[in-house]
Amino acid sequence: MPTDESSGNSNYALDRLRELLGSGNLDADGRLPTERELSASLGVSRRAVRRALEVLEMEGRVWRRQGSGTYAGPRPDTLSDHVGSLVAGTDPMEVMEVRLRIEPQLAQLAAVRAKASEVERLYDLAGKTEQSTDADSHELWDGALHRLIAQSAGNAFFLAIFDVINRVRQDPAWQTIRERARTASRAAPLIHAQHLAIVDAIAAHDPARAGEAMRRHLLTLQESLVRITSLDRQETETEKELS
């Protein structure tokens, strides 16, 4: 029976676990053997193994997931995992509801805090968005424009929230429905004019006008999405009736 004495103490377990982590002899996912298995293979008590693992976890050498086990390396960014599941489980209308409550405030703050260099870049991005000839390019520059507005607001926490919302842009399904909404509504000239109205208000340091311009812009996008999703539902119902 292993003990915490002599070669079976926690320091011995810690040394042997350090060797294991440096050996590369772990599963592809970095999962360590169970505490019971480590206790048996190292000839130490499970208590000694547990203490050693606590030290390694504090050092960032391992991390533990409840019900799954212990893994080599630092704890992964669980927020990113959570955001990924949120993105997968949401829809464009939910995203627009959140954008309507966040981005007008960001535009207002940008009107107060944006630097001259940032305003110049905003005009450049608005121009690149207008010149885009395909969906991928339009999403790229449109996303860059909206993010620079959020960045110009000068609030790191607000920017982090915006980036969570902006993750949806990377989803192919979102890009497809956005392009369909733009095509169906033929709203490209209007969208460009709205972008310029937002940037003009920020350049003029007019928070009220900037927030209202952003709100009108997002409402235009939302209305287009409503039309597209309504058409999709009607087509689905028709197909069910005919089948």
Side-chain angles (χ1 to χ4, degrees), residues 92-93 139 171-183 224-225 228-229 232:
M93 295 312 301
E139 282 297 317
D171 184 76
W174 166 259
Q175 293 186 8
T176 299
I177 196 169
R178 287 258 301 182
E179 177 61 16
R180 288 177 59 203
R182 278 194 297 269
T183 303
S224 297
L225 289 171
I228 288 298
T229 53
D232 286 346

Coordinates of all heavy atoms in Angstrom, one line a residue, residues 92-93 139 171-183 224-225 228-229 232:
P92 N -30.2 35.1 -37.0 CA -30.0 36.5 -37.4 C -30.9 37.5 -36.6 O -30.5 38.6 -36.3 CB -30.2 36.5 -38.9 CG -29.9 35.1 -39.3 CD -30.3 34.2 -38.2
M93 N -32.1 37.1 -36.4 CA -33.1 38.0 -35.8 C -32.6 38.3 -34.3 O -32.7 39.4 -33.8 CB -34.5 37.5 -35.8 CG -35.0 37.4 -37.2 SD -34.8 38.9 -38.2 CE -35.6 40.1 -37.3
E139 N -18.9 41.5 -46.5 CA -18.9 41.2 -45.1 C -17.6 41.6 -44.4 O -17.6 42.0 -43.3 CB -19.1 39.7 -44.9 CG -20.6 39.2 -45.1 CD -21.5 39.9 -44.1 OE1 -21.1 39.9 -42.9 OE2 -22.6 40.3 -44.5
D171 N -20.0 32.9 -39.5 CA -20.8 31.7 -39.8 C -21.3 31.8 -41.3 O -21.9 32.8 -41.6 CB -22.0 31.6 -38.8 CG -22.8 30.4 -39.1 OD1 -22.4 29.3 -38.6 OD2 -23.9 30.5 -39.7
P172 N -21.0 30.7 -42.1 CA -21.4 30.8 -43.5 C -22.9 31.0 -43.7 O -23.4 31.7 -44.6 CB -21.0 29.4 -44.0 CG -19.9 29.0 -43.1 CD -20.3 29.5 -41.7
A173 N -23.8 30.4 -42.8 CA -25.2 30.6 -42.9 C -25.6 32.0 -42.8 O -26.5 32.6 -43.4 CB -25.9 29.7 -41.9
W174 N -24.9 32.7 -41.8 CA -25.2 34.1 -41.6 C -24.8 35.0 -42.8 O -25.6 35.8 -43.3 CB -24.4 34.6 -40.4 CG -24.4 36.1 -40.2 CD1 -23.3 36.9 -40.5 CD2 -25.4 37.0 -39.7 NE1 -23.6 38.2 -40.3 CE2 -24.9 38.3 -39.7 CE3 -26.7 36.8 -39.2 CZ2 -25.6 39.4 -39.3 CZ3 -27.4 37.8 -38.8 CH2 -26.9 39.1 -38.8
Q175 N -23.7 34.7 -43.4 CA -23.3 35.4 -44.6 C -24.2 35.2 -45.7 O -24.5 36.2 -46.5 CB -21.8 35.0 -45.0 CG -20.8 35.4 -43.9 CD -19.4 35.1 -44.4 OE1 -19.2 34.7 -45.5 NE2 -18.4 35.3 -43.5
T176 N -24.7 34.0 -45.9 CA -25.6 33.7 -47.0 C -26.9 34.5 -46.8 O -27.4 35.1 -47.8 CB -25.9 32.2 -47.0 OG1 -24.7 31.5 -47.3 CG2 -27.0 31.9 -48.1
I177 N -27.5 34.5 -45.7 CA -28.8 35.2 -45.5 C -28.6 36.7 -45.5 O -29.5 37.4 -46.0 CB -29.5 34.7 -44.1 CG1 -30.9 35.1 -44.2 CG2 -28.8 35.3 -42.9 CD1 -31.7 34.6 -43.0
R178 N -27.5 37.2 -45.1 CA -27.2 38.6 -45.2 C -27.1 39.0 -46.7 O -27.7 40.1 -47.1 CB -25.9 39.0 -44.5 CG -26.0 38.9 -43.0 CD -26.1 40.3 -42.4 NE -24.9 41.1 -42.8 CZ -24.7 42.4 -42.4 NH1 -25.6 42.9 -41.6 NH2 -23.7 43.1 -42.8
E179 N -26.5 38.2 -47.5 CA -26.3 38.6 -48.9 C -27.7 38.5 -49.6 O -28.0 39.3 -50.5 CB -25.3 37.6 -49.6 CG -25.2 37.8 -51.1 CD -24.7 39.2 -51.5 OE1 -24.2 39.9 -50.6 OE2 -24.8 39.6 -52.6
R180 N -28.5 37.5 -49.3 CA -29.8 37.4 -49.8 C -30.7 38.6 -49.4 O -31.4 39.1 -50.3 CB -30.5 36.1 -49.3 CG -30.0 34.8 -49.9 CD -30.6 33.6 -49.3 NE -32.1 33.7 -49.5 CZ -33.0 33.0 -48.8 NH1 -32.6 32.3 -47.7 NH2 -34.2 33.1 -49.1
A181 N -30.5 39.1 -48.2 CA -31.3 40.2 -47.8 C -30.9 41.5 -48.5 O -31.7 42.3 -49.0 CB -31.1 40.4 -46.3
R182 N -29.6 41.6 -48.8 CA -29.1 42.8 -49.5 C -29.6 42.7 -51.0 O -30.1 43.7 -51.6 CB -27.6 42.9 -49.5 CG -27.0 43.5 -48.3 CD -25.6 43.8 -48.4 NE -24.8 42.6 -48.7 CZ -24.2 42.0 -47.7 NH1 -24.3 42.3 -46.4 NH2 -23.5 40.9 -48.0
T183 N -29.5 41.5 -51.6 CA -29.9 41.4 -53.0 C -31.4 41.6 -53.1 O -31.9 42.3 -54.1 CB -29.6 40.0 -53.5 OG1 -28.2 39.8 -53.3 CG2 -30.0 39.8 -54.9
S224 N -34.9 43.9 -43.8 CA -34.5 43.0 -44.9 C -34.5 41.6 -44.4 O -35.0 40.7 -45.1 CB -33.2 43.4 -45.5 OG -33.2 44.7 -46.0
L225 N -33.9 41.4 -43.2 CA -33.9 40.0 -42.7 C -35.3 39.5 -42.4 O -35.5 38.3 -42.6 CB -33.0 40.0 -41.4 CG -31.5 40.2 -41.7 CD1 -30.8 40.4 -40.3 CD2 -30.9 39.0 -42.4
I228 N -36.8 38.2 -45.6 CA -36.2 37.0 -46.1 C -36.6 35.8 -45.3 O -37.0 34.7 -45.8 CB -34.6 37.1 -46.1 CG1 -34.1 38.0 -47.2 CG2 -34.0 35.7 -46.2 CD1 -34.5 37.6 -48.6
T229 N -36.6 35.9 -44.0 CA -37.0 34.8 -43.1 C -38.5 34.5 -43.3 O -38.9 33.3 -43.2 CB -36.7 35.1 -41.7 OG1 -37.2 36.4 -41.3 CG2 -35.2 35.1 -41.4
D232 N -38.8 32.5 -46.4 CA -38.3 31.1 -46.2 C -39.4 30.3 -45.5 O -39.6 29.1 -45.8 CB -37.0 31.1 -45.3 CG -35.8 31.6 -46.1 OD1 -35.9 31.6 -47.3 OD2 -34.8 31.9 -45.5

